[in-house]
Amino acid sequence: MTVPDRLLDALTTALGSAGVLTAAASPDDVAGHVVDWRGAHRGSTPAVLRPGSTADVATAVRLCHEAGVALVPQGGNTGLCGGCVPDGSGSQLVLWLGRMRAVRDVDPVGGSATVEAGVTLRGLQDAAAGVGRLFPLSLGSEGTATVGGVLATNAGGTGVLRYGMMRDLTLGLEVVLPDGQVWDGLRALRKDNTGYDLKQLFVGAEGTLGVITAATVRLLPATPARATAWVAVHDVAAAVALLAVAQEHAAGDLTTFEVVSREAVGLVLDHAPGARDPFSAAHPWYVLVELAGSVTETLGTRLEEVLVAADERGLVADAVVAGGPAQRTALWLLREGVSEVQGHAGPSLKHDVTVPIAALPALVAATDRALEAVLPGVRRITYGHVGDGNLHHNLSKPVGAPDAVLRDRADALSAAIYDEVTRLGGSISAEHGLGSAKRDLADVYGDPVERELMRTVKRALDPRGLMNPGKVV
Ligand code: FAD
Ligand code: MLT
Ligand code: ZN
């Protein structure tokens, strides 16, 4: 169906002219909302709705519900599974939450903050820091990703090992339901056993059950001190063994434990401005280890203990400890720079998978063989959150091959990874979600009873199927 003009008129009357951007009047501005960050998912829309308040969202959702028109909630548009963009039918409206940027409350004593959905993750971190507290979720996209988006995807990132995922940091939500009702669940309570934990239904739902308009999240004591090391290791088994050593010697302070393959580091060194290899020789794998706390000297000693113990067990090929903030930033670039630079190797096939941590070496060994058999020379740009058993096993075409090679073999390459992940008891989506990209794969690899339960929940909350249709289920 097409979106009726009278609906767009009613939305413009309700939200004001700043609240509705039509493709007819502002094609360039609308264009940025219909393609994802990688340019891998592209759709179309007659208009982008830009509500400025919860009341605006409720009105827009109600009007669309009455007209039977579908909505695609969107925040920073940094999602990696196509969940944030409309399909190509031109019959879905984008609901952009970026104007809802108020920090409604920050409570350092109670340890909570209440912010609107369009506040960026960095904005939330800054609001916490402003009262001497920490909001610990951290991602490469944090300058652009919004609180609504990280909630809707249950984002993870580089601090999950210590602090958990977005779900674990959420105390309450305000949600506009698919018919336009507002659920005010903005509670900062640490204990609340009054039936089903409804907020958790919306976290990770990727906008398919309602629109998150605000959230109350946990704040933690600040950890201004950091001790950071970049460690070269021979293989993923050594990285996993190093994780065990780090947990033994620095358990409470260990915040980040990330692995990066040489192939991935090589791309960063070639393409990220300012990137520099701290070692004189290349190594097959690297680990970024970071401890965080309140006293720099204590952390430094503990990190030293970790590295000495790991060296005694023959796990360390080389290591460097950051001597200050600038060196720390340089080491982090070797890890965080990977997503940004992979485009230089052509289009990519992303695989965001988890297995039990002990199974990571087996996963890499088996998929190396299987991928090579499918497409000789395929580049494994592998990196990720080893402390969570989560690898980004991202593929690029063989050097010098045409882009089409990767596209033509995409299904077989992905199957080589997902079959092995499933055999090892893992998940085909660790932290990015399903969106449109992995919806059907979840039916292939997921448990059928679980998938049907999800469809039951979707039908119960959104019987007309107007909230981000075609995503997740
Ligand atoms: P969008 O991309 O706009 O939307 C994502 C999904 O959420 C869509 O389905 C959308 O419909 C829905 N949505 C958005 N806002 C709302 C709302 N208010 N209510 C309901 N639904 C909504 N992810 C990780 O987990 N860990 C990482 O380490 C990580 N690193 C990244 C690094 C880079 C460079 C990039 C580009 C992405 C990375 N991501 C990572 C992906 C991550 O999912 C997103 O960055 C973030 O969670 C999405 O936020 P967003 O505001 O951009 O949401
Ligand atoms: C990251 O951890 O850098 C992202 O989640 C990975 C990606 O961009 O695939
Ligand atoms: Zn990640």
Side-chain angles (χ1 to χ4, degrees):
M1 75 172 272
T2 53
V3 176
D5 285 344
R6 65 177 180 285
L7 173 63
L8 291 178
D9 291 344
L11 287 163
T12 308
T13 304
L15 306 184
S17 53
V20 181
L21 209 59
T22 63
S26 314
D28 294 344
D29 292 334
V30 168
H33 291 272
V34 298
V35 59
D36 72 331
W37 177 76
R38 282 194 302 149
H41 302 274
R42 193 176 290 276
S44 65
T45 188
V48 175
L49 310 182
R50 299 158 34 99
S53 65
T54 302
D56 276 0
V57 176
T59 304
V61 172
R62 182 179 51 76
L63 288 171
C64 290
H65 183 256
E66 286 165 5
V69 167
L71 285 168
V72 180
Q74 189 182 84
N77 199 7
T78 64
L80 297 171
C81 295
C84 41
V85 292
D87 68 13
S89 66
S91 65
Q92 303 180 342
L93 295 176
V94 172
L95 183 72
W96 181 65
L97 280 297
R99 280 179 68 212
M100 290 191 61
R101 284 195 210 125
V103 174
R104 292 189 189 167
D105 181 50
V106 185
D107 175 2
V109 178
S112 68
T114 299
V115 299
E116 291 186 346
V119 170
T120 61
L121 178 51
R122 185 164 300 142
L124 172 54
Q125 294 164 347
D126 290 347
V131 296
R133 295 292 181 270
L134 172 75
F135 183 71
L137 197 87
S138 180
L139 322 168
S141 55
E142 63 198 23
T144 311
T146 61
V147 168
V150 296
L151 281 159
T153 57
N154 184 28
T158 51
V160 172
L161 173 64
R162 179 161 173 185
Y163 303 110
M165 301 194 45
M166 192 57 194
R167 188 183 290 298
D168 304 301
L169 298 166
T170 305
L171 293 170
L173 291 184
E174 178 185 85
V175 179
V176 173
L177 301 174
D179 61 1
Q181 286 186 81
V182 179
W183 171 48
D184 180 356
L186 285 176
R187 298 170 201 136
L189 304 173
R190 304 297 162 135
K191 292 186 167 181
D192 180 19
N193 277 345
T194 49
Y196 304 133
D197 191 352
L198 293 176
K199 66 179 177 294
Q200 296 296 359
L201 261 186
F202 299 96
V203 180
E206 299 180 55
T208 59
L209 300 179
V211 184
I212 298 167
T213 45
T216 302
V217 298
R218 269 173 213 281
L219 301 185
L220 300 169
T223 53
R226 298 273 190 280
T228 311
W230 181 249
V231 186
V233 293
H234 298 297
D235 51 26
V236 176
V240 170
L242 176 59
L243 173 64
V245 173
Q247 280 165 336
E248 206 177 297
H249 289 267
D253 299 319
L254 182 64
T255 304
T256 294
F257 195 96
E258 301 277 312
V259 78
V260 196
S261 69
R262 176 68 203 182
E263 187 103 47
V265 168
L267 271 182
V268 177
L269 292 172
D270 286 348
H271 300 290
R276 200 183 62 79
D277 193 340
F279 305 135
S280 51
H283 298 276
W285 293 90
Y286 303 89
V287 177
L288 179 73
V289 187
E290 188 162 277
L291 315 187
S294 45
V295 185
T296 309
E297 292 70 26
T298 317
L299 291 181
T301 309
R302 208 150 284 163
L303 183 59
E304 201 63 41
E305 282 168 19
V306 170
L307 295 177
V308 168
D311 193 38
E312 282 167 358
R313 291 182 209 183
L315 301 174
V316 178
D318 207 343
V320 59
V321 173
Q327 240 183 321
R328 171 178 181 258
T329 304
L331 297 182
W332 267 88
L333 175 63
L334 297 172
R335 157 61 183 94
E336 289 270 89
V338 184
S339 293
E340 297 273 356
V341 298
Q342 191 170 0
H344 289 279
S348 60
L349 263 186
K350 280 192 183 281
H351 302 95
D352 161 41
V353 297
T354 14
V355 293
I357 294 173
L360 284 168
L363 174 69
V364 172
T367 52
D368 270 354
R369 282 190 302 272
L371 293 168
E372 196 56 33
V374 175
L375 180 59
V378 64
R379 297 178 73 183
R380 275 87 76 187
I381 313 299
T382 304
Y383 58 106
H385 320 286
V386 162
D388 316 320
N390 176 192
L391 276 191
H392 299 304
H393 218 12
N394 295 345
L395 307 181
S396 295
K397 65 183 179 175
V399 174
D403 290 356
V405 163
L406 195 73
R407 201 173 48 237
D408 292 347
R409 303 300 285 141
D411 289 348
L413 290 165
S414 294
I417 293 178
Y418 294 142
D419 288 351
E420 192 55 28
V421 164
T422 304
R423 204 183 63 73
L424 292 167
S427 165
I428 63 158
S429 180
E431 58 171 13
H432 295 161
L434 297 174
S436 52
K438 291 197 199 167
R439 182 198 62 177
D440 296 342
L441 281 169
D443 287 329
V444 174
Y445 290 98
D447 175 74
V449 175
E450 197 172 305
R451 293 292 292 159
E452 189 48 38
L453 260 179
M454 289 188 200
R455 283 188 276 270
T456 304
V457 171
K458 170 75 175 169
R459 281 192 295 269
L461 270 76
D462 182 22
R464 302 188 70 183
L466 298 176
M467 272 293 154
N468 214 1
K471 319 290 168 55
V472 184
V473 287

